[in-house]
Amino acid sequence: MGSLFRSEEVCLAQLFLQSASAYSCISELGERGLLEFRDLNPKVSPFQRRFVGEVRRCEEMEKTFTFLQQELRAAGRVPGPCPESPRAPAAREALRVQEQSEQLAQELREVSRNRASLRGRLRDLRQYLHVLREGQRFTSLPAPLGSPPRPRALSEREPILDPSLHQHLDRKINFVAGVIHPWRVTAFERLLWRACRGYLVASFVEMPEPMEDLATGENITWVIFLISYWGEQIGQKIRKISDCFHCQVYAYPESEASRTEAITRLHGQIQELSVTLEETEKYLAEVLDKVAQVLPTWRVQVQKMKAIYLVLNQCSFDVTKKCLIAEVWCPVRDLTQVQDALRQGSYQSGSSVECFVQRVPTAESPPTLIRTNKFTAGFQSIVDAYGVASYQEVNPAPYAIITFPFIFAIMFGDVGHGLLMFLFALWMVLYEDSPRLRQGTNEIWLTFFEGRYLILLMGAFSIYTGFIYNECFSKATAIFPSAWSVATMANHSSWSSAYLATHPALTLDPNVTGVFRGPYPFGIDPIWSLATNHLNFLNSFKMKMSVVLGIVHMGFGVMLGVFNHVHFQQRHRLVLEFLPEMIFLLALFGYLVFLIFYKWIKFSAADSLVAPSILIHFIDMFLFTSNAENLPLYPGQVPVQMVLVVLALASVPVLLLGTPLYQWCRQRAARTVRPGAPLATGEQEPLLEGQEAGNSVNATTEDVESGGHSPDAKHLDFAEIFMHQAIHTIEYCLGCVSNTASYLRLWALSLAHAQLSEVLWSMVMRNGFVGLSYVGGVVLVPVFAAFAVLTVAILLVMEGLSAFLHALRLHWVEFQNKFYVGAGYKLCPFAFAPDTWD
């Protein structure tokens, strides 16, 4: 947890890897995720690097895996994640994986091709069988002798080859039979009639069972057609038209015996093909089972192997070409783990030469590393959204763990609403290990789930502030007896029946003995919810509370800057920046907080009518005047206020000119001792002990200059320093005024939330209770449902999001800009990512 308050110390180091053990060492480092590698070959094309062949081999295996995964999905199987994280394979193991994967892919291609061929052949045979069966109805012979004669009525189903009609036929009848898509039947029939001019007889009938369309994969009820014609020319036209309409044409035997024999033969072929296809399906299922078993492990191994070779491509070789040199950013506390990983990698590779790590001094600003856990990750994400902390800068996240939920709760104070939010977050926390919650695809849900601990604290703090405000779904709760006594007021006043009849609103006078018996034990007295001046009372209370909390919050932010000045050994800023900033803030706005508390303590109910206005006193303070109508709060108030204003104004030039003059005097003194010697600015962070620029393996003059740490960059530019300090001074002085006013959003949103909750109660639930009377409680069910939906949708979601955004703004703008720069960049260690195969 120590790194949570300030980023960890990170150093630049070199890894010396023996060529035979470099792969194993990088694999071990990737499993631990400790180092961020730097590219030592920035000007070398990716296609010209040493291990480009190995990377291409990994990509070829990934293409094979993609084919295997597509085959699994086509079979209705979804490959799951790898049950355990396998290590990157050795070179010999990688060759075995490549050989086995290609073999499985080849088997799948052959089996899939054979299955598709068998399915197509079986489909054709079944269609042919249906064509012959349906054709029998049109071309069957008449009944045998002795059977009753059939009526001779005209019918479309009349057999075409009836021997009684042969005397009218002087030409041979030919047939064209096949199947056609049902959508093309109408156009096909129309074109046949027009092209052949009616010299044909066409019969169409739907197939008894649907069959698959090879083009689309859908099951379609095909249409069987049987066309009889006279003449070879008409037959050629019919066949050409059938080809144009993509019809499947089958040979149609002329004699009934041939057709019967063909049907019997088709039955046998279909049975044989069905058995063969069943065996093929079983074999294909076995191959797919094998693929589903080994594919998750293989793809994780190949992903790791590819990542290792990409890192090795960033390394450079020494002169002997036997050792690889890598540059890394490494946390200092992890150097021993890095050395242990290198030692273990060398042992696994069987190399007799151990690899080692060595620190390298540098003047570059290291990356920022702040270790978090599942509780602090949400708060750290809020800070990082504003900007990643500069190296070794004070981290606002641990303080936001308390201040952020509390400021949110001030605007969202309600026991009922806070309890609902707390229970929702508690449910997410209790079931946080559930894969169903973690692996959701809804981005909004994942955002809520990642911030579950933040929502949990916001709900808990909202319950606390709800008790302070004494509000539960806008209704006050009488936890303790009220401190106000109406009976005492009635006994000591002239409240007659006539007076009560003409005065619907009565005033309780706290100056009457026994009417007010002291403050309420905790929070606001519930009797205020019945008062007509309830809103006026809360206005004054919440407005002053917002100002007090805002000034305390800003003052705390200014004080955190002390830790930055001390850590970076810039102690002159304690006097030239921190002290003037605190004087300016406390002399003006700290004095305002003092006036608020002094008035609360000084004036009681007895002399409340003569209590002066703090706002008028604060305005007169800046004008160096006094108002005779507004009595002073304490003797000598005007001189004290004049002194405070003079101190605040005097701190402005110190804040504006102090740092630039100090830098100028420091450089002048250094040049007197060493003429012409450059001096680093005090604005830059000091180098670590023993550091100097330009010691990196791949550090060139251009790289150092681009980093802003070249010797020429160390000369002081007083115009730039003065401009920077002037901007900081103006921003701080004006910000103290605007930021204090910005904290009044706590007052505004708190009142808005309370009033919206009260409106929702009075317009829904209260009307339901009053309007229903004794009708029955059943009608209250939809009324309460509407109230619950509106409460969740408006007060919890919309108002909660509004309060969250305002709390976020108060931390980013009003709090963090007092001490936080946020100009760093994160440490991105090389670690094997989880399986993200698409």
Side-chain angles (χ1 to χ4, degrees):
M1 291 295 291
S3 64
L4 187 62
F5 293 93
R6 192 185 301 277
S7 61
E8 291 191 16
E9 185 180 357
V10 178
C11 66
L12 184 66
Q14 291 179 351
L15 303 181
F16 294 89
L17 309 174
Q18 202 266 342
S19 298
S21 60
Y23 180 89
S24 300
C25 292
I26 299 298
S27 175
E28 186 66 27
L29 291 173
E31 295 291 344
R32 303 193 182 191
L34 301 174
L35 307 176
E36 178 183 349
F37 285 83
R38 304 177 67 189
D39 191 1
L40 300 184
N41 308 301
K43 297 182 180 180
V44 180
S45 170
F47 304 101
Q48 297 175 347
R49 304 203 177 192
R50 181 176 180 85
F51 299 97
V52 64
E54 287 78 358
V55 174
R56 286 178 177 174
R57 187 177 66 180
C58 295
E59 292 176 349
E60 291 297 328
M61 285 191 283
E62 288 180 345
K63 291 180 181 178
T64 304
F65 296 160
T66 302
F67 168 75
L68 295 176
Q69 188 176 25
Q70 289 175 351
E71 291 295 319
L72 285 176
R73 290 180 175 176
R77 305 187 183 187
V78 179
C82 187
E84 56 183 7
S85 180
R87 301 183 67 87
R92 187 174 303 175
E93 180 70 16
L95 292 176
R96 184 187 63 81
V97 170
Q98 184 178 11
E99 180 181 355
Q100 292 183 357
S101 62
E102 291 177 353
Q103 182 179 357
L104 283 176
Q106 184 64 24
E107 289 184 10
L108 274 179
R109 291 189 182 96
E110 293 179 358
V111 176
S112 300
R113 190 184 308 115
N114 294 336
R115 184 186 63 171
S117 177
L118 291 174
R119 282 183 172 179
R121 179 61 179 163
L122 184 61
R123 170 181 171 273
D124 291 341
L125 292 178
R126 287 177 175 174
Q127 286 184 349
Y128 193 11
L129 179 62
H130 284 298
V131 168
L132 293 179
R133 285 178 176 176
E134 295 297 330
Q136 286 280 59
R137 302 181 181 181
F138 299 103
T139 60
S140 60
L141 293 175
L145 295 176
S147 60
R150 294 180 303 174
R152 301 301 301 163
L154 298 178
S155 172
E156 294 181 357
R157 311 291 293 183
E158 187 71 24
I160 298 177
L161 299 183
D162 193 341
S164 61
L165 301 178
H166 284 184
Q167 56 184 349
H168 303 289
L169 301 177
D170 55 353
R171 293 185 180 182
K172 179 182 179 182
I173 300 177
N174 298 316
F175 296 93
V176 174
V179 295
I180 186 175
H181 196 282
W183 294 354
R184 303 180 182 135
V185 172
T186 304
F188 179 63
E189 186 177 7
R190 185 183 302 113
L191 185 58
L192 284 175
W193 180 262
R194 291 179 179 177
C196 301
R197 300 186 179 183
Y199 290 98
L200 55 82
V201 177
S203 300
F204 296 89
V205 63
E206 288 187 352
M207 193 177 293
E209 60 176 340
M211 290 192 180
E212 183 182 5
D213 185 5
L214 297 180
T216 61
E218 299 178 356
N219 286 332
I220 298 175
T221 303
W222 297 89
V223 175
I224 300 173
F225 63 87
L226 179 64
I227 305 173
S228 59
Y229 62 92
W230 295 267
E232 187 62 28
Q233 292 182 353
I234 294 179
Q236 293 178 0
K237 289 183 179 181
I238 294 173
R239 290 185 179 88
K240 289 182 179 179
I241 293 174
S242 301
D243 292 339
C244 292
F245 280 86
H246 303 284
C247 301
Q248 184 69 34
V249 179
Y250 298 96
Y252 193 81
E254 297 181 359
S255 64
E256 186 172 358
S258 301
R259 291 193 293 272
T260 305
E261 182 182 355
I263 290 175
T264 304
R265 186 176 65 253
L266 285 176
H267 275 294
Q269 292 178 354
I270 289 174
Q271 186 175 3
E272 292 177 0
L273 277 178
S274 298
V275 174
T276 306
L277 181 61
E278 184 178 356
E279 295 296 328
T280 306
E281 293 280 0
K282 289 182 180 179
Y283 181 70
L284 179 61
E286 293 177 359
V287 177
L288 291 176
D289 289 339
K290 188 184 301 183
V291 171
Q293 183 179 1
V294 298
L295 182 59
T297 303
W298 283 354
R299 68 190 186 189
V300 172
Q301 287 180 325
V302 172
Q303 284 177 348
K304 290 185 177 182
M305 184 169 61
K306 182 180 178 181
I308 292 172
Y309 284 122
L310 290 176
V311 170
L312 289 176
N313 278 334
Q314 298 179 356
C315 304
S316 64
F317 281 88
D318 66 341
V319 180
T320 62
K321 302 294 183 180
K322 296 181 180 179
C323 177
L324 278 80
I325 302 177
E327 268 194 9
V328 296
W329 290 112
C330 175
V332 175
R333 59 180 288 190
D334 293 338
L335 283 173
T336 55
Q337 296 187 38
V338 173
Q339 186 62 54
D340 180 68
L342 295 178
R343 187 180 302 109
Q344 189 170 353
S346 301
Y347 174 76
Q348 292 175 356
S349 63
S351 175
S352 58
V353 180
E354 286 191 2
C355 305
F356 61 93
V357 59
Q358 179 183 358
R359 291 185 63 173
V360 178
T362 180
E364 297 184 50
S365 178
T368 300
L369 173 62
I370 299 176
R371 303 181 195 265
T372 59
N373 52 36
K374 61 183 180 181
F375 176 74
T376 60
F379 298 94
Q380 189 64 51
S381 299
I382 291 177
V383 175
D384 291 343
Y386 175 82
V388 179
S390 302
Y391 180 64
Q392 295 276 290
E393 187 180 22
V394 170
N395 182 25
Y399 312 104
I401 294 176
I402 299 299
T403 59
F404 190 92
F406 181 67
I407 288 180
F408 170 86
I410 293 174
M411 297 177 282
F412 198 78
D414 190 287
V415 176
H417 301 155
L419 182 61
L420 293 178
M421 182 179 294
F422 178 82
L423 293 177
F424 171 68
L426 183 63
W427 170 73
M428 290 192 292
V429 170
L430 294 178
Y431 294 94
E432 61 184 6
D433 296 329
S434 173
R436 185 171 58 89
L437 298 181
R438 286 185 172 274
Q439 300 174 2
T441 57
N442 192 321
E443 185 177 355
I444 297 178
W445 163 253
L446 292 179
T447 302
F448 279 108
F449 184 76
E450 291 298 326
R452 57 192 179 279
Y453 288 98
L454 176 61
I455 300 176
L456 184 73
L457 290 185
M458 291 193 303
F461 277 73
S462 297
I463 295 174
Y464 168 76
T465 54
F467 279 115
I468 294 294
Y469 298 157
N470 202 350
E471 290 184 0
C472 181
F473 296 110
S474 79
K475 308 305 291 181
T477 56
I479 302 177
F480 304 100
S482 175
W484 292 82
S485 175
V486 180
T488 305
M489 187 69 189
N491 295 332
H492 293 79
S493 63
S494 57
W495 288 356
S496 60
S497 300
Y499 182 84
L500 294 176
T502 56
H503 292 78
L506 302 175
T507 302
L508 298 181
D509 188 359
N511 293 320
V512 177
T513 304
V515 173
F516 181 68
R517 296 188 295 268
Y520 194 67
F522 184 79
I524 296 178
D525 198 309
I527 200 173
W528 282 104
S529 62
L530 305 175
T532 56
N533 60 339
H534 176 221
L535 189 60
N536 294 334
F537 169 73
L538 290 182
N539 260 331
S540 176
F541 168 72
K542 293 185 176 181
M543 181 176 63
K544 294 176 181 178
M545 176 193 65
S546 302
V547 172
V548 172
L549 293 177
I551 294 173
V552 171
H553 197 212
M554 290 190 297
F556 178 64
V558 175
M559 293 190 65
L560 288 179
V562 175
F563 298 98
N564 284 332
H565 303 330
V566 174
H567 178 79
F568 294 125
Q569 298 179 2
Q570 298 171 345
R571 301 184 183 277
H572 64 279
R573 291 193 170 187
L574 294 175
V575 179
L576 301 178
E577 291 188 13
F578 168 72
L579 190 59
E581 289 176 353
M582 288 301 295
I583 291 176
F584 185 86
L585 181 65
L586 296 180
L588 298 180
F589 302 99
Y591 178 71
L592 177 62
V593 174
F594 165 76
L595 293 180
I596 293 174
F597 280 97
Y598 184 84
K599 183 178 178 180
W600 281 344
I601 298 173
K602 175 69 174 178
F603 294 92
S604 62
D607 51 358
S608 60
L609 297 178
V610 297
S613 172
I614 296 179
L615 180 60
I616 296 177
H617 276 303
F618 198 62
I619 295 174
D620 292 339
M621 175 180 174
F622 288 95
L623 299 177
F624 293 96
T625 59
S626 60
N627 193 337
E629 298 180 356
N630 195 42
L631 300 177
L633 289 168
Y634 58 90
Q637 179 180 354
V638 175
V640 171
Q641 294 180 165
M642 290 183 178
V643 172
L644 291 177
V645 173
V646 170
L647 284 176
L649 295 177
S651 64
V652 175
V654 177
L655 183 62
L656 176 64
L657 303 175
T659 300
L661 292 178
Y662 172 81
Q663 297 291 348
W664 180 77
C665 295
R666 186 180 177 188
Q667 185 186 37
R668 185 175 181 181
R671 287 182 177 178
T672 304
V673 178
R674 291 182 302 164
L679 182 67
T681 66
E683 297 296 322
Q684 297 177 357
E685 297 178 5
L687 302 178
L688 299 178
E689 183 178 358
Q691 287 184 348
E692 56 186 12
N695 287 357
S696 174
V697 171
N698 64 331
T700 62
T701 304
E702 293 80 11
D703 295 332
V704 175
E705 288 178 354
S706 64
H709 295 280
S710 63
D712 295 338
K714 294 182 180 181
H715 287 288
L716 289 176
D717 187 351
F718 285 104
E720 182 179 352
I721 294 176
F722 179 78
M723 184 63 64
H724 174 79
Q725 194 65 25
I727 294 174
H728 171 71
T729 303
I730 296 173
E731 181 183 11
Y732 178 81
C733 295
L734 295 181
C736 286
V737 180
S738 62
N739 294 346
T740 303
S742 182
Y743 277 95
L744 292 177
R745 69 183 70 238
L746 301 176
W747 156 55
L749 266 75
S750 176
L751 286 179
H753 181 81
Q755 293 301 310
L756 190 59
S757 179
E758 184 176 352
V759 167
L760 186 61
W761 175 273
S762 61
M763 295 186 65
V764 180
M765 287 299 294
R766 190 176 67 180
N767 287 338
F769 283 121
V770 174
L772 292 176
S773 184
Y774 296 100
V775 173
V778 178
V779 190
L780 278 178
V781 175
V783 173
F784 177 76
F787 173 76
V789 170
L790 293 176
T791 298
V792 173
I794 298 178
L795 295 178
L796 287 182
V797 178
M798 296 179 61
E799 279 287 318
L801 182 60
S802 175
F804 178 87
L805 294 177
H806 284 283
L808 195 64
R809 181 246 154 77
L810 290 177
H811 277 77
W812 281 357
V813 179
E814 278 72 24
F815 174 62
Q816 290 181 187
N817 70 348
K818 300 296 187 298
F819 67 97
Y820 187 70
V821 178
Y825 60 101
K826 282 186 177 182
L827 177 74
C828 299
F830 167 68
F832 295 126
D835 184 14
T836 56
W837 193 275
D838 294 329

